Amino acid sequence: MKITKVEPIWLRTKTFDESCEWGEDAFILRIYTDNNLYGIGESDSAAAVLKIMFEQPSTHGSCRNLSEILIGQDPRNIKKIMDDLIEGSAYYGLSGALICALSAINIALYDLLGKIYGVSVATILGGKRKDFLNAYATFIPSKNMEENISRVKYLKEEGFKLLKFGGAGFGNNALADKEIIKNIRGAVGDDIKLSIDLVGLWKNFSYARERFLEIEEYNLEWIEEPVGANNFYDYARLSEHLPCKITGGESFYTLNEFENFIKKSKVSIVQPDITRCGGFDTMLEIEKISLKYGCDLVPHGFSTGILLAATVQFLASTKYCNLIEYSQSTSVLFTHLVKNLIPCKDGIVEVNDAVGIGVILDENLIEKYRINIKI
Ligand code: MG
């Protein structure tokens, strides 16, 4: 059995002149074999940058085109393939965007392996341990307060018990941010948990502490990425001094980075993104590290239904992790790219009996939004 073709796909719902919001562009990957199967992967990263890694001409043994490394390999040899990829991309990799590209490959190879043997990825990872996952809803707050209020009321009616919001500049304006939190808390009452995501905009320990005290009365469940990802000691001081969970980790890539972050930042929850941290293999290792340091693991996930399905398979295989992020993006790349998008009902995601990660893609949508630029 051999890999015969690699198809990196850049999707974008906006024109080049318009900026994208989270979820409005995507990088997906298909790896084909000589027995007419293909695996599907994704990375939530800079799609154009990733695509070029699969199409550039190779220069030498440490700077190779990723497709070239994959083609001709037996797709079942995942560990060997991942090692070959790391070795062949050392001059532009080892962390960052390269690991994002490898994440898409890793997910696609596990999907393929599941299809070859007719089992779910959770089975390959050691066994499906649960049938249901608790889900929390994530949305980007609107500048229009009425929209925020009706959205959270709707989400409460839908059965979500935990809501998270952030992005689009939330964290930049203390007064406006407080108004949003106050109105949302007022709209959902005290029986719904609320979390906020600052995307690093609370600068440092002192600034973040000051902002926290202004909103402490709204009883937040967690504060996500209050400061820049690398500010480990600000994280540690916040974790030690604030009576609220501090979380982060979506911007790290390698196992070493995760271990360093978990150890030094003292976060309550680490949030690796399976499409950026190296895929299934690294997620399993991060789970072990999180257990070692007494930290919970709640994966980050705000992109397409491919990411969602891969995250479900990972979580289903874990012993303790049972909370999944469920995007409220209205982008067609979330709502329609995967024709059998995993639903969320009453705040619960069912772990389906998938083969591989179990996604079926909408080919018409891919052709509509595919960006075809060749170097
Ligand atoms: Mg976040």
Side-chain angles (χ1 to χ4, degrees):
M1 195 182 300
K2 282 188 167 42
I3 294 173
T4 51
K5 191 176 119 182
V6 179
E7 185 187 16
I9 303 169
W10 172 13
L11 301 172
R12 187 177 169 90
T13 62
K14 297 285 181 72
T15 67
F16 273 44
D17 299 339
E18 295 174 291
S19 64
C20 275
E21 191 47 91
W22 268 284
E24 292 178 337
D25 68 347
F27 174 82
I28 67 172
L29 182 74
R30 286 196 277 214
I31 298 178
Y32 297 80
T33 65
D34 56 2
N35 58 350
N36 294 319
L37 292 173
Y38 65 83
I40 299 168
E42 175 185 8
S43 181
D44 181 10
S45 180
V49 176
L50 268 50
K51 187 167 183 278
I52 215 165
M53 293 179 186
F54 292 84
E55 295 174 347
Q56 63 179 337
S58 293
T59 54
H60 54 72
S62 299
C63 199
R64 296 177 68 194
N65 164 315
L66 299 179
S67 301
E68 181 190 292
I69 300 171
L70 287 163
I71 289 170
Q73 300 248 20
D74 184 327
R76 294 169 295 189
N77 298 337
I78 298 180
K79 177 80 168 64
K80 177 196 176 298
I81 294 173
M82 299 314 294
D83 286 347
D84 289 350
L85 289 161
I86 295 276
E87 195 178 300
S89 61
Y91 266 39
Y92 61 98
L94 299 184
S95 185
L98 183 271
I99 303 298
C100 294
L102 298 199
S103 309
I105 294 171
N106 189 271
I107 293 167
L109 289 175
Y110 272 96
D111 183 40
L112 194 46
L113 197 60
K115 287 170 176 165
I116 291 167
Y117 293 112
V119 296
S120 71
V121 172
T123 301
I124 297 168
L125 299 182
K128 177 180 153 185
R129 293 171 184 260
K130 47 191 84 100
D131 295 320
F132 300 98
L133 300 166
N134 295 321
Y136 77 88
T138 301
F139 65 94
I140 300 170
S142 165
K143 294 210 173 3
N144 179 330
M145 198 64 81
E146 289 309 311
E147 274 179 29
N148 291 325
I149 290 170
S150 57
R151 185 195 280 267
V152 296
K153 282 183 173 169
Y154 166 78
L155 292 172
K156 184 177 177 179
E157 278 169 24
E158 285 290 294
F160 286 103
K161 307 284 187 298
L162 168 61
L163 312 179
K164 183 180 89 183
F165 49 96
F170 181 85
N172 266 330
N173 183 325
L175 277 178
D177 297 342
K178 185 175 176 176
E179 272 306 295
I180 292 174
I181 300 167
K182 182 180 154 189
N183 277 279
I184 287 177
R185 174 55 81 205
V188 297
D190 292 332
D191 55 338
I192 298 292
K193 292 178 177 172
L194 296 178
S195 296
I196 56 172
D197 185 351
L198 284 312
V199 200
L201 290 173
W202 273 2
K203 301 173 187 176
N204 57 24
F205 168 70
S206 306
Y207 185 87
R209 184 173 171 277
E210 217 171 297
R211 296 286 78 76
F212 173 79
L213 293 175
E214 290 166 358
I215 55 166
E216 187 175 6
E217 62 188 290
Y218 303 113
N219 191 26
L220 297 175
E221 176 67 9
W222 80 61
I223 295 181
E224 181 168 320
E225 288 204 309
V227 294
N230 281 317
N231 298 8
F232 297 161
Y233 300 108
D234 289 296
Y235 268 102
R237 295 186 76 186
L238 289 166
S239 297
E240 282 164 0
H241 288 91
L242 301 191
C244 180
K245 292 175 192 166
I246 304 295
T247 75
E250 70 184 69
S251 307
F252 293 111
Y253 307 97
T254 67
L255 202 50
N256 283 342
E257 289 169 2
F258 275 99
E259 179 146 21
N260 206 19
F261 174 70
I262 292 170
K263 204 164 133 184
K264 291 180 180 165
S265 73
K266 299 186 166 61
V267 288
S268 297
I269 300 173
V270 65
Q271 298 162 299
D273 187 315
I274 195 167
T275 72
R276 286 205 300 276
C277 73
F280 289 106
D281 288 325
T282 320
M283 288 296 276
L284 293 176
E285 295 300 319
I286 298 168
E287 185 201 1
K288 287 183 202 158
I289 295 171
S290 66
L291 288 171
K292 178 175 160 188
Y293 289 102
C295 172
D296 287 337
L297 190 160
V298 178
H300 175 266
F302 197 85
S303 189
T304 79
I306 302 171
L307 175 153
L308 178 66
T311 306
V312 166
Q313 290 300 313
F314 162 71
L315 286 172
S317 77
T318 66
K319 201 167 177 183
Y320 300 115
C321 313
N322 69 345
L323 182 60
I324 188 164
E325 181 166 17
Y326 202 92
S327 169
Q328 297 301 308
S329 171
T330 53
S331 165
V332 290
L333 297 184
F334 178 67
T335 57
H336 287 85
L337 172 64
V338 169
K339 286 162 84 172
N340 56 341
L341 180 72
I342 297 173
C344 183
K345 287 181 187 146
D346 295 326
I348 301 286
V349 166
E350 191 175 348
V351 181
N352 53 7
D353 288 318
V355 172
I357 59 169
V359 299
I360 300 165
L361 300 177
D362 183 331
E363 300 299 332
N364 294 329
L365 189 142
I366 290 175
E367 289 321 306
K368 184 173 178 188
Y369 295 111
R370 185 198 286 259
I371 304 285
N372 283 314
I373 295 178
K374 284 268 179 193
I375 54 166

